[in-house]
Amino acid sequence: MQRAVFGLYEERNEADGTRYTTVKPFTTQRTSPDASQSFHALPPLYETGDGATSRGRTVAPLYFETSRGTEKQREAGEANDDTWLFPLWAWGSHPAEGSYFMFLPFGGTLKRKFLADEINIYVFPLYITTRAADWSSTHVLWPLIAWGSSPTRSHFRVIPFWSQTDGQRYHRRSLLWPFIHWNSELRGDREMNGWMVFPLVGHRGSTDGTSSQWTFLYPLFQFASDDVTGDRYTAILWPFYKRSVRPGIEDSTWVWPLWGHTEREDQSTTFYVWPLGWNTRDVKGRVEARRSYFVPFYMRSTTGPIGGEPTAVAERSLPLYSYRRDEQGRERFRFPEVVPVFGWDPGERVYSDLLSLVRWERDATGRTAWDGPLGLFGYRRDADGASALRLLWWFEIPLGDGS
């Protein structure tokens, strides 16, 4: 690690070859051995990124630019490029859909945006057409008037007067939206019919009598049961009390805002004194991630094999300290810590490193470093065991090789 300009300029080389260059409190740049790099100025206001298959630039909250594809694809005009001057101006190209341009409110075209393959706008919101796979639709005075169809479904609405949607296994109607609704649906070999006078009362049930759902003053009171699946749901003065059981899928109880717990096969969540306290558990394959929060004062996150010791740990107590140990054995500690979230590396390098009074680091090779405010004094130990005190950013006092 090298510092200059009273500790405001810093260069850091990680054991894996990644280099960080930071000018506090303004910019930080990361350069990786694979030549990918990123640059942040006054994060999160400005950032750029350049990798083997993607590059981008952001000037929040107005300008967003991304390009996905290899250099050969860009030269051939086959990259996926998007540029936004949010929210009025957009242009770019998609390898499968071609180029597009939009300038609101006058109009234009969007490609592969908002879950559609193509959106054509003619004087927004007066007239819009969309296409998504085999579905096409037309909108007049969006979102009030619309109609659309595909080989398997159709839709027509004139809000608030009438709305209807028909598919191969369902039919839905609305009158004087959002007040009156009715529908029918085939679920497996069961037919489900429902109606609702929003928000007063609603009912949904199967024609064979195995499933029934009632709601009163939606969403305050809800009661549901299904004898085929075993599902049960009760809500009384929602969200203050909720009980949901889906055998083999989910078991959830809320006594909001004091306590609530939801258990799934690969995930569990518990809250207490909502929204302050949270405990979560997620399992993906053989890896288990656990997180505990009491926002914003304490946060802890661990990742590792199921039932084993965590291979990565992150902990912070705002504004007292933060500690992190990653899978490569790198450890970092700061006192105090001003960034209240995990994973915002540019903010930590630009802001936290500037304001911390004590920083301590160690990696798997044995390299160790700690620093006082602005790097006025510190300690260094390299992988061979040689150590030294550093004073006023430049003066080093060797302490020996540790042998």
Side-chain angles (χ1 to χ4, degrees):
M1 182 188 298
Q2 299 180 0
R3 286 195 174 94
V5 196
F6 310 107
L8 298 179
Y9 176 85
E10 178 180 293
E11 287 188 4
R12 176 195 303 273
N13 294 296
E14 301 286 2
D16 63 0
T18 302
R19 184 177 68 184
Y20 294 92
T21 304
T22 304
V23 180
K24 308 164 192 175
F26 304 109
T27 68
T28 183
Q29 180 172 339
R30 174 190 58 80
T31 304
S32 299
D34 61 1
S36 66
Q37 57 182 330
S38 64
F39 175 79
H40 300 259
L42 295 176
L45 297 182
Y46 179 84
E47 67 177 83
T48 64
D50 191 351
T53 59
S54 66
R55 61 178 58 169
R57 183 187 313 272
T58 297
V59 184
L62 299 177
Y63 182 82
F64 305 89
E65 174 188 344
T66 61
S67 178
R68 298 177 180 86
T70 64
E71 196 61 40
K72 288 184 178 180
Q73 288 175 318
R74 294 190 184 98
E75 293 174 355
E78 298 174 351
N80 186 358
D81 297 332
D82 298 291
T83 303
W84 286 79
L85 280 172
F86 191 79
L88 301 179
W89 202 350
W91 64 94
S93 63
H94 189 276
E97 297 291 339
S99 61
Y100 69 88
F101 176 87
M102 180 198 71
F103 184 41
L104 296 180
F106 305 104
T109 299
L110 294 174
K111 300 289 183 70
R112 294 292 177 95
K113 297 290 179 291
F114 305 113
L115 305 179
D117 294 330
E118 180 176 284
I119 301 174
N120 295 295
I121 302 171
Y122 307 89
V123 189
F124 182 85
L126 294 182
Y127 191 81
I128 302 170
T129 64
T130 71
R131 175 177 57 83
D134 59 0
W135 170 266
S136 60
S137 65
T138 301
H139 302 255
V140 178
L141 292 175
W142 179 88
L144 301 180
I145 303 172
W147 60 92
S149 64
S150 76
T152 59
R153 60 189 175 108
S154 64
H155 175 75
F156 173 80
R157 71 173 182 260
V158 180
I159 294 177
F161 305 108
W162 178 257
S163 174
Q164 67 179 58
T165 302
D166 295 290
Q168 292 179 317
R169 299 180 65 84
Y170 60 86
H171 305 277
R172 304 185 182 113
R173 302 289 186 268
S174 295
L175 178 66
L176 298 178
W177 186 91
F179 299 110
I180 302 174
H181 310 266
W182 64 98
N183 58 75
S184 65
E185 179 181 358
L186 290 177
R187 291 186 180 179
D189 58 358
R190 291 191 296 172
E191 181 180 347
M192 313 288 288
N193 296 314
W195 56 266
M196 186 173 191
V197 180
F198 180 84
L200 301 179
V201 61
H203 178 259
R204 183 177 181 84
S206 62
T207 56
D208 62 6
T210 59
S211 175
S212 178
Q213 305 174 39
W214 282 97
T215 180
F216 306 94
L217 298 178
Y218 180 85
L220 297 180
F221 300 94
Q222 301 174 65
F223 309 92
S225 64
D226 192 312
D227 296 335
V228 173
T229 63
D231 294 355
R232 297 291 186 272
Y233 183 88
T234 301
I236 299 175
L237 291 176
W238 186 94
F240 296 103
Y241 176 79
K242 184 196 79 168
R243 174 72 175 139
S244 175
V245 177
R246 301 175 65 195
I249 301 175
E250 178 184 281
D251 191 304
S252 179
T253 303
W254 284 12
V255 185
W256 186 87
L258 299 180
W259 177 86
H261 179 75
T262 300
E263 187 76 33
R264 300 183 180 93
E265 181 180 4
D266 56 359
Q267 183 185 72
S268 65
T269 302
T270 302
F271 71 80
Y272 51 94
V273 195
W274 188 94
L276 301 181
W278 296 85
N279 293 321
T280 67
R281 173 181 176 268
D282 291 281
V283 176
K284 293 182 178 179
R286 298 182 178 180
V287 178
E288 178 182 63
R290 292 182 176 269
R291 297 175 179 85
S292 297
Y293 303 90
F294 194 77
V295 181
F297 307 107
Y298 178 79
M299 291 165 278
R300 177 178 172 84
S301 173
T302 64
T303 305
I306 298 174
E309 290 296 319
T311 57
V313 176
E315 185 175 285
R316 63 186 60 216
S317 180
L318 187 76
L320 298 179
Y321 72 90
S322 68
Y323 169 78
R324 180 173 65 186
R325 173 170 56 84
D326 63 20
E327 289 85 352
Q328 288 74 42
R330 292 175 294 190
E331 297 178 87
R332 294 178 182 173
F333 173 87
R334 290 188 188 89
F335 168 80
E337 176 60 76
V338 298
V339 173
V341 295
F342 289 128
W344 190 29
D345 189 68
E348 292 184 6
R349 296 188 180 280
V350 171
Y351 305 125
S352 295
D353 285 352
L354 174 65
L355 298 175
S356 62
L357 299 179
V358 176
R359 280 195 294 161
W360 172 84
E361 302 179 36
R362 181 173 61 190
D363 65 20
T365 69
R367 298 189 304 172
T368 304
W370 66 261
D371 293 275
L374 292 176
L376 284 168
F377 53 88
Y379 168 84
R380 298 290 184 275
R381 182 183 186 277
D382 63 23
D384 298 323
S387 59
L389 288 177
R390 180 174 293 177
L391 303 176
L392 299 176
W393 308 286
W394 299 289
F395 304 106
E396 289 196 0
I397 303 174
L399 299 178
D401 60 6
S403 60

